[in-house]
Amino acid sequence: EPVAKAPVESKEPELFIIVPCEIVFKTKHSAKEAGFKIETPPPFGAVTEPVDVVADVVIELQNQLTKALAAGIEEKNIVLDPGIGFAKDAEHNWELLRHIDDIKAIGYPILIGHSRKRFLGGDHPDQREAATIEVTKKLATQGIWGVRVHGVRANVEALHS
């Protein structure tokens, strides 16, 4: 049974997200709901300096995954999120997207939240919608489980065109 649903756009109330999983692990954030130690994430906009962003994210996701499995979270209820835009600069984000197969190799569904983020360009989030759609289309060809986007209808239409 779905555990979360939320409206995604006030203009499109018939569209909603249903997340049929118990927990999504995103890098640089802890899973409070699973009873894990709470870590303070970096301040909004702060960038950490990984030596190898892809390897660092894979290791962090594997560590969170190990904790989740030890806590009794069932594998079927786990989705991994590499934390695009969180404590990463533009090059880190593009590097993760270029090497998404390394994250997929962990063996769990992947959720990408790239919508309207600064690394896509533009001075205002609305100026990033076209880039968001292009990234969504590329991710769809790479077998990603899901994306978090603001303009749901535009992204869905792009996938069906």
Side-chain angles (χ1 to χ4, degrees):
E1 178 176 323
V3 295
K5 59 182 171 178
V8 291
E9 291 191 15
S10 59
K11 296 177 199 166
E12 305 174 272
E14 74 279 8
L15 295 175
F16 57 91
I17 298 169
I18 299 177
V19 182
C21 61
E22 289 185 15
I23 193 161
V24 175
F25 289 107
K26 180 179 355 185
T27 61
K28 300 299 178 196
H29 296 275
S30 294
K32 181 178 180 179
E33 296 82 8
F36 300 134
K37 177 183 169 215
I38 302 306
E39 299 169 0
T40 304
F44 182 76
V47 176
T48 58
E49 293 298 328
V51 173
D52 178 339
V53 69
V54 177
D56 288 353
V57 165
V58 167
I59 290 167
E60 188 171 348
L61 288 170
Q62 288 172 328
N63 289 341
Q64 292 294 337
L65 182 57
T66 298
K67 292 176 187 178
L69 295 171
I73 304 292
E74 293 182 49
E75 287 186 350
K76 69 179 184 172
N77 293 326
I78 295 175
V79 175
L80 304 178
D81 180 340
I84 298 293
F86 290 91
K88 297 168 188 71
D89 65 20
E91 183 53 36
H92 295 152
N93 294 314
W94 289 116
E95 187 73 9
L96 284 168
L97 292 173
R98 280 192 296 271
H99 295 279
I100 202 69
D101 285 342
D102 292 348
I103 298 166
K104 284 175 47 184
I106 298 171
Y108 288 82
I110 304 298
L111 175 69
I112 302 292
H114 62 288
S115 184
R116 300 181 182 174
K117 295 207 175 156
R118 285 187 181 106
F119 81 98
L120 296 173
D123 294 329
H124 189 273
D126 291 341
Q127 297 172 332
R128 302 175 192 136
E129 191 61 26
T132 295
I133 290 168
E134 291 304 311
V135 171
T136 297
K137 289 169 34 178
K138 176 72 173 165
L139 290 169
T141 68
Q142 295 175 301
I144 296 302
W145 175 83
V147 295
R148 284 191 322 269
V149 296
H150 294 85
V152 174
R153 179 167 283 148
N155 279 267
V156 170
E157 287 173 357
L159 292 174
H160 293 290
S161 63

